[in-house]
Amino acid sequence: MKKPLLGAFQLPSSKKHMVGPLQSIHMPMRRFREYEEVDYAIVGVGSAGGVLLQRLARAGFNVVGLEAGPFWDTEHDWVSDEAGSHELYWTEPRVTGGSDPLALGANNCGKGVGGGSVHWAAFTPRLHRSDFEVYTLDGVGADWPITYDDIKPYYEQLELEMSVAGPAYYPWGHPHGYAYGPHPMGGVGNALIKGCTALNIPVSIGGPVAILSGSHGDRPHCIYRGFCIQGCKVGAKASTLVTHVPDAIRRGAELRDRSMVSRIELGKDGRVTGIHYFDIDGHSHFQRAKAVIVSGYSIETPRLLLNSACPGHEKGLGNSSGTLGCYLMAQAGNVVMGRFDQPVRMYKAPPAHALTEEFYETDPKNDFARGFAIQTVGPLPVAFGKQLLAAKKAWGWGLRREMMDYNHWAAFGLLGEILPWKDNCVTLSKDKDRFGLPVAHVSFNLHENDKRLIKAAKEKTEEVMHAAGATEVVQEARYAHLVGACRMGSDPRTSVVDKFGRSHDILNLFVCDGSVFPTQGSANPGLTIQALAARTADYLVSQGERIFTSNERNMKTSSMRRELAPPEAWGKGVPRLK
Amino acid sequence: MKPPFDGVDPALCPRDPNTGEPLPPRKQPGYYPGFSTISQSPFWDEATREVIDKRVKHPPERKFFSAEAWNFWTSVFAHLIPQTDRAIDRQIPIVAVLDHRLAINKTAGYRYESMPPDRVVYEIGIEAIDLEAVHRYGGKFLVLPSADQDRVLQAIHDGRPEAAREIWKRMSVHRFWQMIMGDAIDAYYAHPWAWDEVGFGGPAYPRAYTRLERGEPEPWEVQEQRYEWLPPANTASAEVDSSQSHHTESGQHSLLDRLSEEAQQGAKR
Ligand SMILES: Cc1cc2nc3c(=O)[nH]c(=O)nc-3n(C[C@H](O)[C@H](O)[C@H](O)COP(=O)(O)OP(=O)(O)OC[C@H]3O[C@@H](n4cnc5c(N)ncnc54)[C@H](O)[C@@H]3O)c2cc1C
Ligand code: SF4
């Protein structure tokens, strides 16, 4: 057996908290007392929560982020292994139902600092202009209370902060370019290019994806090992754990991990006063706060607000509209697999590699509204085995034989817009979790437009796979990316929060995560979630102390504050510590 | 010298397509002779190496299942992922991994409305499979010949069990099958020996993959060398069927619906 050139790879000997092999976190961090009234308590330090924590700390607020999962030391806690990465996901109990039940757990939500951004594939396309006015344009779904132009500067900024790699010219939606060079292609990316090219479909290669194509500061570049959704130990893939949390802690934010928030407390004056939470030993605590921001993901956010029902808010906190938990969305995420005569070895390179948004917009020739994207995916053996189980009903010897051909398969995912429907919702189940709290019940049903769209998207993706040269094409139905259930809108009768994420009912309660989406487009939501978080932070900073004291709802949009970004992000791209 | 079949019934082994003769078990089935991911472990980071080392050298011991349940599921999983083509000392533990999962009550993070909690699934699953075995072949699952066992499981795979209606009302057949197969896949394809079999390169931090295109192997991986083999003659699980895939779950006719329809038709008659 050969010895490695540089000797065996040992853990770093220091006691430093590492995020990636080069970046260590500034410790010890600040610790607030529970009787101290902090300015902001943020529930959930995931995609949105991480950005908020960093921005608000940098603006000088006293801010604490409560996170149900652990604060990862990536060098010690993460492994390049599918089964060994189970802890990255939200595996607390939930119940799923409806006519088309969604798989939850590993299929969507993270647990631990960084949240879903730890195990996302890091595709980072923007929403299109049309996504903000779906109702006006197509008479279905809903309009957003903001436009593309409102969020555009935040897209540009966050693309720099996460270091999104992509082509210099990206043709779809509002055409734009990326500051960081695209990635080289792996086998699945090549298959998508080949298939699209044969059919004259424009295709974007090597991004947009929030993975470093070249090293920057404390973050090394991608090494094409394909374990992105197992949490990138390398630190090449952006997650708020490696991009925003280090800066937040350095700027005086507190991160309280393994703290499960159970209820938001409402004071007599109709303003929230703080949050109840359980620590790792199950002891209950109360943290006083002048304002609360819930960033717990589209399932846990409505669950927490429903579990916080109290006199005056019997249907759930901030639910005067009755729409809390409703209009939950998932994107159609069917996986189309193609077998090639030549080996592909799809485990190499990031799963998020190439895509086309050519079918994104409503096409009057279709019998449905809105559209879809086609993207690369590169399942590792366990995931692929389950896809074969679903797509080919393979078991026993059949499964063993098919799996021996693992290296001959490539997989594409379609990403199709499913419209917001009231009956797709999060409610409380009779099942309880280990703290005795009712768990979330998720109900999901496809409607006619969704079914037609999925059928067309599936057929197109299969066509591309055939055109790429696949000799056999099969597919599995699945869903990706939950958003909605706490949607923003201008009308308090039909939405839960306003365009800044502020509860229509309670002035110092905010929601900021994917749950505020009124519609979802067919772009992966992560970039938009982080951009919205930066925008909400700007609003909060511009309002200053008024958030904590005033009963006025100021709806004026402030301009973007670049100084709130980690300084090295601006112009160079990557937040650094030093 | 060990006999070529080393205690394995040759009738349960894959066959040579030309001669029809059973193929003796190998240390490493698959088309990548000599490829070993574990041999690369010095190039892995320490945390990964520890996890995988433990998986190979110290499979968990029985904690959750009773001895009877352990035996029962061992026979079932021998059909779900057969390993008679593997040398005995290179068979991958599956039930041990499942037992550990149930012991610590590790779940996927959700439960289908149509399913009881996981531990209950594995409890009533035994009864359901046994009832089906008795209904079809007049004996409990464990005493049936292998081919009949295969067909009992095939009925559940097809979503067409005929017995144990009371149990299948509490538990979706389709989801039950997904769960037991999912557990089998979770254990088998997480094992480095299975990676060697399918030609997956395994962990590569901090070393990296450098040959991304044309399915080319890294210098330490090996080129594919295919050979022909057929599944054992009398197995039900050799066939795969991609036509069965539906694009929505609501497109699937649930057993419960079918049962109640049949009951209604029965009542009309
Ligand atoms: C396999 C996979 C691949 C994906 N790929 C992509 C992709 O390529 N591109 C993309 O854009 N998106 C992708 N996503 C989706 C993306 O990860 C999510 O949309 C995004 O992370 C959601 O952000 P969020 O802020 O709403 O919630 P999260 O990031 O999930 O953060 C919520 C956090 O809140 C914590 N929390 C919840 N409830 C409580 C409570 N009561 N108390 C304390 N803490 C709590 C959770 O532990 C979690 O850390 C992918 C998701 C998965 C599962
Ligand atoms: S492929 Fe790149 S981004 Fe993905 S896990 Fe490996 S190093 Fe990280």
Side-chain angles (χ1 to χ4, degrees):
Chain A
M1 183 175 70
K2 286 188 192 138
K3 285 269 176 269
L5 264 180
L6 303 170
F9 292 97
Q10 305 293 341
L11 287 174
S13 54
S14 70
K15 298 267 182 304
K16 282 184 184 162
H17 190 117
M18 303 298 289
V19 286
L22 301 181
Q23 185 174 212
S24 63
I25 287 197
H26 193 81
M27 291 290 214
M29 72 177 139
R30 182 166 181 178
R31 172 92 210 190
F32 294 100
R33 306 287 165 136
E34 294 187 352
Y35 55 77
E36 265 180 85
E37 191 179 44
V38 297
D39 295 328
Y40 287 99
I42 300 172
V43 183
V45 185
S47 292
V51 173
L52 285 165
L53 192 71
Q54 181 266 338
R55 289 293 205 277
L56 293 174
R58 211 164 237 283
F61 287 108
N62 288 338
V63 49
V64 54
L66 291 108
E67 167 54 53
F71 180 20
W72 304 112
D73 175 319
T74 63
E75 283 287 293
H76 291 87
D77 299 339
W78 291 0
V79 290
S80 309
D81 181 60
E82 272 186 289
S85 301
H86 191 73
E87 302 305 317
L88 300 182
Y89 308 109
W90 186 278
T91 50
E92 298 291 316
R94 287 167 173 165
V95 184
T96 186
S99 63
D100 304 275
L102 299 172
L104 304 174
N107 199 36
N108 38 63
C109 187
K111 186 176 178 192
V113 175
S117 71
V118 157
H119 60 67
W120 68 337
F123 264 124
T124 41
R126 301 177 184 179
L127 289 176
H128 290 198
R129 277 185 185 282
S130 62
D131 286 320
F132 296 86
E133 38 178 359
V134 169
Y135 186 75
T136 302
L137 295 175
D138 292 322
V140 294
D143 286 348
W144 289 52
I146 59 173
T147 65
Y148 180 82
D149 292 319
D150 288 320
I151 199 173
K152 181 176 149 228
Y154 294 95
Y155 277 154
E156 290 169 353
Q157 180 63 30
L158 262 298
E159 281 164 3
L160 290 172
E161 287 176 36
M162 298 187 219
S163 327
V164 174
Y169 181 77
Y170 189 75
W172 298 288
H174 171 251
H176 56 277
Y178 291 94
Y180 298 91
H183 288 268
M185 279 296 96
V188 184
N190 274 338
L192 187 67
I193 297 170
K194 204 169 161 203
C196 285
T197 307
L199 298 173
N200 257 329
I201 300 167
V203 56
S204 163
I205 67 173
V209 56
I211 298 176
L212 285 172
S213 46
S215 297
H216 277 283
D218 295 351
R219 286 179 52 207
H221 64 74
C222 177
I223 60 171
Y224 304 103
R225 60 199 253 290
F227 282 94
C228 308
I229 65 175
Q230 282 70 34
C232 174
K233 243 190 126 135
V234 179
K237 188 190 73 172
S239 68
T240 56
L241 175 69
V242 304
T243 56
H244 288 81
V245 166
D247 193 54
I249 291 176
R250 195 175 164 76
R251 292 296 166 144
E254 184 194 337
L255 201 156
R256 216 170 286 168
D257 65 334
R258 299 185 190 274
S259 301
M260 171 71 191
V261 177
S262 54
R263 199 157 63 81
I264 300 169
E265 185 70 33
L266 195 69
K268 288 203 188 71
D269 58 354
R271 300 173 72 91
V272 298
T273 57
I275 49 181
H276 296 271
Y277 69 96
F278 291 101
D279 66 19
I280 184 170
D281 302 315
H283 299 306
S284 123
H285 301 264
F286 181 70
Q287 174 65 53
R288 288 168 31 122
K290 292 178 191 160
V292 171
I293 312 176
V294 188
S295 303
Y297 195 69
S298 288
I299 303 178
E300 293 304 308
T301 290
R303 174 189 176 208
L304 175 61
L305 294 173
L306 291 168
N307 270 333
S308 301
C310 60
H313 294 266
E314 284 78 5
K315 292 186 297 179
L317 206 58
N319 189 17
S320 64
S321 66
T323 57
L324 174 62
C326 307
Y327 303 104
L328 178 76
M329 287 165 278
Q331 277 160 331
N334 300 48
V335 176
V336 170
M337 292 159 267
R339 188 190 184 285
F340 292 79
D341 289 337
Q342 291 307 309
V344 179
R345 294 194 187 253
M346 68 174 154
Y347 55 90
K348 296 186 189 186
H353 219 50
L355 80 168
T356 175
E357 291 189 353
E358 197 59 18
F359 310 101
Y360 194 107
E361 301 285 343
T362 299
D363 181 344
K365 290 202 284 288
N366 289 337
D367 59 352
F368 56 87
R370 306 308 296 155
F372 58 92
I374 303 176
Q375 308 185 329
T376 52
V377 289
L380 300 182
V382 172
F384 187 63
K386 291 184 186 172
Q387 282 161 5
L388 284 181
L389 165 71
K392 300 188 83 172
K393 287 202 135 195
W395 71 289
W397 287 109
L399 180 73
R400 287 281 311 285
R401 193 183 48 208
E402 297 286 329
M403 280 298 287
M404 284 188 195
D405 279 350
Y406 172 68
N407 279 341
H408 284 264
W409 289 84
F412 301 157
L414 63 88
L415 206 60
E417 175 163 359
I418 288 177
L419 296 169
W421 306 103
K422 197 163 185 190
D423 63 340
N424 289 342
C425 57
V426 177
T427 52
L428 295 178
S429 156
K430 283 197 195 69
D431 290 12
K432 302 268 169 67
D433 70 4
R434 66 176 108 160
F435 303 113
L437 303 168
V439 307
H441 180 287
V442 177
S443 182
F444 193 72
N445 316 280
L446 291 179
H447 295 67
E448 200 47 42
N449 194 77
D450 311 327
K451 289 181 190 166
R452 288 187 189 160
L453 184 147
I454 292 172
K455 183 166 178 290
K458 200 182 63 172
E459 285 166 5
K460 183 56 78 180
T461 311
E462 287 169 347
E463 195 186 329
V464 174
M465 190 61 95
H466 278 297
T471 48
E472 179 190 354
V473 177
V474 297
Q475 71 97 33
E476 180 208 7
R478 59 192 296 151
Y479 306 92
H481 309 145
L482 294 186
V483 293
C486 221
R487 70 175 176 182
M488 59 157 98
S490 334
D491 186 348
R493 289 167 305 179
T494 56
S495 58
V496 183
V497 297
D498 70 18
K499 66 176 176 180
F500 298 110
R502 191 181 207 160
S503 158
H504 287 304
D505 303 346
I506 300 162
L507 280 159
N508 62 342
L509 174 66
F510 290 78
V511 175
C512 183
D513 58 14
S515 66
V516 303
F517 284 30
T519 60
Q520 61 180 349
S522 1
N524 320 55
L527 173 70
T528 304
I529 290 171
Q530 294 194 33
L532 280 178
R535 181 172 178 273
T536 293
D538 267 359
Y539 174 75
L540 298 177
V541 173
S542 73
Q543 294 296 305
E545 298 284 316
R546 270 175 293 172
I547 296 286
F548 310 136
T549 51
S550 164
N551 285 333
E552 230 181 286
R553 183 184 297 272
N554 186 333
M555 295 305 279
K556 240 181 67 208
T557 302
S558 61
S559 59
M560 191 172 69
R561 287 159 202 263
R562 294 214 191 278
E563 71 274 16
L564 291 186
E568 288 78 4
W570 179 226
K572 296 206 198 87
V574 178
R576 288 194 57 184
L577 291 182
K578 286 157 264 216
Chain B
M1 217 187 82
K2 282 183 182 173
F5 287 93
D6 194 18
V8 176
D9 180 356
L12 299 181
C13 288
R15 292 165 296 139
D16 182 307
N18 297 321
T19 62
E21 291 298 310
L23 296 167
R26 309 172 170 230
K27 255 186 131 50
Q28 183 179 322
Y31 314 133
Y32 302 88
F35 174 52
S36 162
T37 41
I38 292 184
S39 76
Q40 297 301 309
S41 67
F43 298 84
W44 303 343
D45 66 280
E46 192 173 311
T48 301
R49 193 159 56 220
E50 268 172 23
V51 162
I52 291 168
D53 206 54
K54 187 160 169 242
R55 190 173 302 153
V56 176
K57 293 193 186 133
H58 308 285
E61 285 179 13
R62 177 166 70 84
K63 272 209 295 276
F64 179 78
F65 284 134
S66 67
E68 293 78 44
W70 177 280
N71 285 342
F72 182 87
W73 288 114
T74 301
S75 320
V76 170
F77 281 103
H79 291 268
L80 300 187
I81 297 207
Q83 301 192 46
T84 43
D85 59 340
R86 292 190 151 271
I88 299 260
D89 61 343
R90 294 279 281 194
Q91 296 193 347
I92 295 171
I94 294 179
V95 180
V97 176
L98 167 65
D99 180 90
H100 180 71
R101 161 169 113 70
L102 295 173
I104 61 173
N105 215 355
K106 174 171 129 183
T107 70
Y110 61 100
R111 159 178 91 69
Y112 286 95
E113 217 171 36
S114 53
M115 290 290 280
D118 294 6
R119 287 176 171 181
V120 178
V121 170
Y122 276 97
E123 195 185 298
I124 62 180
I126 297 182
E127 209 184 319
I129 292 174
D130 265 343
L131 284 171
E132 189 68 21
V134 170
H135 169 79
R136 281 178 192 258
Y137 302 106
K140 288 194 166 190
F141 186 80
L142 279 182
V143 303
L144 298 183
S146 178
D148 291 350
Q149 289 181 332
D150 241 17
R151 281 190 283 270
V152 169
L153 295 172
Q154 172 85 40
I156 296 171
H157 160 276
D158 293 344
R160 305 199 161 271
E162 286 166 6
R165 301 213 155 180
E166 286 311 307
I167 295 177
W168 295 125
K169 275 184 199 159
R170 288 166 62 197
M171 174 162 85
S172 148
V173 183
H174 172 60
R175 296 289 175 205
F176 172 69
W177 184 257
Q178 270 189 327
M179 183 180 289
I180 59 177
M181 275 309 295
D183 275 318
I185 291 169
D186 274 336
Y188 190 84
Y189 289 105
H191 202 286
W193 296 342
W195 302 341
D196 300 343
E197 174 184 323
V198 304
F200 168 59
Y205 170 71
R207 178 171 55 187
Y209 289 132
T210 56
R211 304 195 171 175
L212 304 185
E213 301 205 77
R214 295 182 297 278
E216 224 181 295
E218 304 292 310
W220 46 275
E221 292 178 322
V222 304
Q223 292 280 7
E224 184 189 56
Q225 291 174 39
R226 294 186 79 86
Y227 60 87
E228 293 295 319
W229 61 279
L230 293 172
N234 50 3
T235 178
S237 68
E239 296 304 316
V240 289
D241 175 6
S242 34
S243 67
Q244 298 271 358
S245 155
H246 296 259
H247 78 274
T248 66
E249 168 147 335
S250 48
Q252 278 170 5
H253 206 50
S254 84
L255 178 77
L256 222 57
D257 295 342
R258 207 167 59 231
L259 289 180
S260 65
E261 266 169 36
E262 281 169 15
Q264 272 172 16
Q265 281 164 4
K268 272 187 216 140
R269 265 188 249 127

